[in-house]
Amino acid sequence: MKNILLSLVVAIGLVSCKEDTKEKVIDASKAVGAEVKESIDTVKVKAEKAIDTSKIKAKELIIKGAEKVEEGAKKVKEAARKKD
């Protein structure tokens, strides 16, 4: 009788531990999932900032290039007028 009771107590203890472990694993999985999502969001924000910065720099370079082309065109026009 003692052996049967002892076996039942041990079996109940093991079953209850398994449920706690499952809950802990589920909680840990949720936490990791949340951290991964936060990391992805952070990377997304940084990438968007870098893209915006690159667009601004590219626009500035295009404007400067256009200004230099205009200056060169003015010089060519002036040189052509002086030759006449």
Side-chain angles (χ1 to χ4, degrees):
M1 186 75 169
K2 289 181 183 180
N3 289 336
I4 295 172
L5 288 175
L6 182 60
S7 299
L8 287 174
V9 170
V10 171
I12 292 171
L14 290 174
V15 170
S16 66
C17 288
K18 287 183 181 180
E19 289 177 16
D20 289 341
T21 303
K22 287 179 186 177
E23 289 176 13
K24 288 179 183 179
V25 169
I26 291 170
D27 290 343
S29 297
K30 288 179 182 178
V32 169
E35 288 179 17
V36 169
K37 185 176 179 183
E38 288 176 15
S39 296
I40 289 171
D41 291 342
T42 302
V43 169
K44 182 180 175 183
V45 169
K46 288 180 181 181
E48 288 173 350
K49 285 181 183 179
I51 290 170
D52 289 343
T53 302
S54 297
K55 286 180 181 177
I56 291 169
K57 288 181 180 180
K59 185 176 180 180
E60 291 173 355
L61 289 173
I62 291 170
I63 291 170
K64 286 181 182 179
E67 289 172 353
K68 290 192 178 202
V69 168
E70 288 175 359
E71 289 176 17
K74 286 180 184 178
K75 288 180 183 178
V76 170
K77 283 182 183 178
E78 290 176 10
R81 289 183 186 161
K82 288 181 182 179
K83 288 187 179 180
D84 289 335

